[in-house]
Amino acid sequence: MPEAHEMGYFTEENSVEVVAGRNKNAKDARLREAMEVIIRKLHEAVKEIEPTQEEWFETIQFLTKTGHTCNDWRQEFILLSDVLGVSMLVDAVNSRRPNGASENTVLGPFHVDGAPEYEMGTNICLDQKGEDLVVKGRIMDTEGNPISGATLDVWQANDEGFYDVQQQGLQPEFNLRGLFRTGADGTYWFKAVKPKYYPIPDDGPVGDLLGRLGRHPYRPAHLHYIVKAEGYDTLTTHIFDPDDQYIDSDAVFGVKKSLLAEFVTINDPEKAKEVGFNAPYLEIDFDFVLARETSK
């Protein structure tokens, strides 16, 4: 004999109640709660859009192609999540911090474990290609105190918009990557090159979708950071070039106003000599503020 929650006859009007009701005996309460919301929102969308059978089949075909594009080194569904702003929204929900703390943004697909640890001031550009850049700043807590022993895992694309893992054999291994550790004053500095904007992979179904929506696939120029210190929340973030042509239209919505960094041209030959560059070169001075770790 069917149970009460299995006795709903499906209609357009009661579709949510009938479908969600079938999940009453779900073994995982969190799953049941999540599916109720997903079913409600999905059914609301169908009722508002009123897709034709042909349009719904096209949607199914798009999702099928997205799955077929995934392999060991490419995750097209993550890319879809990125361009729909869902990745950034999930990150925002899970990275709420007190006022004054630096903001998170997406990790991106090109982080590599095991980057070499360097002394402060080391040049992480191993092939000396690109426009010279000095990046410096402080790692502090929300009260302005320096954080000693904080680690900065940094990586970036080169002056052509490629990461080393995209050009194996052309770029040196661990090019434009490095790990740095702050001293008692919380300061950091290293040498690099000015990064360039680049496209996310757009040769698959997600790229086709962007084209049909009249959107470009580009990310504005940025440097990546993972900043860690004992007793503090880990910060995964970027800093961006505010003058980049794509700064207001990042394909994955990763730009935040607080993460815009000023790229200052330094024409002073003496300063250039101190850092081991020829003038002119570029300089960024950007501080990161870590929030105290909280139990969740």
Side-chain angles (χ1 to χ4, degrees):
M1 187 74 179
E3 296 184 31
H5 69 279
E6 297 176 324
M7 292 295 289
Y9 294 101
F10 186 99
T11 68
E12 182 177 338
E13 291 73 22
N14 73 358
S15 65
V16 174
E17 291 77 10
V18 171
V19 176
R22 297 285 173 91
N23 301 328
K24 178 184 177 182
N25 294 330
K27 297 178 181 179
D28 187 316
R30 176 67 169 170
L31 174 62
R32 182 178 68 246
E33 176 188 16
M35 288 303 301
E36 183 175 345
V37 174
I38 291 168
I39 290 165
R40 181 172 73 251
K41 297 298 184 181
L42 182 58
H43 283 227
E44 286 175 359
V46 171
K47 291 174 183 180
E48 182 174 343
I49 297 168
E50 296 187 343
T52 65
Q53 294 283 3
E54 291 76 15
E55 288 170 336
W56 186 243
F57 182 70
E58 184 179 358
T59 302
I60 298 298
Q61 288 291 88
F62 168 77
L63 294 174
T64 301
K65 291 177 183 177
T66 300
H68 286 166
T69 306
C70 298
N71 52 42
D72 289 342
W73 57 270
R74 177 163 174 173
Q75 231 301 349
E76 195 78 356
F77 276 110
I78 290 180
L79 197 64
L80 179 61
S81 171
D82 291 345
V83 303
L84 296 179
V86 179
S87 297
M88 274 301 300
L89 185 57
V90 171
D91 183 79
V93 167
N94 285 277
S95 303
R96 295 174 180 139
R97 297 200 174 102
N99 290 338
S102 296
E103 293 189 276
N104 252 53
T105 191
V106 289
L107 174 66
F110 297 115
H111 178 258
V112 173
D113 291 327
E117 183 169 346
Y118 294 122
E119 293 183 0
M120 290 296 179
T122 299
N123 193 340
I124 63 173
C125 181
L126 304 182
D127 57 9
Q128 284 75 55
K129 294 180 179 179
E131 191 172 358
D132 291 332
L133 172 68
V134 168
V135 188
K136 64 179 183 177
R138 295 181 299 163
I139 310 299
M140 303 176 292
D141 63 21
T142 53
E143 296 178 349
N145 301 308
I147 299 177
S148 175
T151 60
L152 292 86
D153 187 351
V154 300
W155 70 103
Q156 65 164 95
N158 67 5
D159 65 325
E160 296 179 341
F162 293 101
Y163 293 87
D164 59 342
V165 293
Q166 295 176 290
Q167 293 187 315
Q168 294 181 357
L170 295 177
Q171 291 191 48
E173 186 179 14
F174 294 117
N175 191 35
L176 293 166
R177 300 178 186 274
L179 190 73
F180 298 90
R181 194 177 305 271
T182 61
D185 62 358
T187 62
Y188 75 91
W189 81 283
F190 61 92
K191 292 180 282 188
V193 297
K194 185 180 181 182
K196 186 181 180 181
Y197 62 81
Y198 60 84
I200 60 173
D202 63 344
D203 58 343
V206 172
D208 291 340
L209 177 64
L210 289 178
R212 292 178 67 179
L213 293 172
R215 289 174 54 184
H216 68 73
Y218 289 95
R219 299 215 64 206
H222 57 272
L223 291 87
H224 293 263
Y225 291 81
I226 298 176
V227 186
K228 296 182 179 180
E230 187 175 354
Y232 295 87
D233 284 340
T234 296
L235 173 67
T236 301
T237 196
H238 308 359
I239 55 175
F240 293 91
D241 179 358
D243 297 321
D244 190 280
Q245 66 191 88
Y246 298 110
I247 197 64
D248 294 321
S249 57
D250 182 6
V252 305
F253 305 95
V255 178
K256 296 181 179 181
K257 189 175 182 179
S258 68
L259 303 179
L260 301 183
E262 186 178 6
F263 287 65
V264 178
T265 300
I266 305 297
N267 278 307
D268 187 331
E270 288 301 317
K271 286 187 176 181
K273 185 178 180 180
E274 288 177 7
V275 299
F277 285 152
N278 295 318
Y281 66 95
L282 295 171
E283 184 175 275
I284 297 172
D285 193 337
F286 198 93
D287 297 338
F288 293 103
V289 180
L290 303 186
R292 286 283 180 183
E293 191 174 41
T294 56
S295 58
K296 297 181 179 180

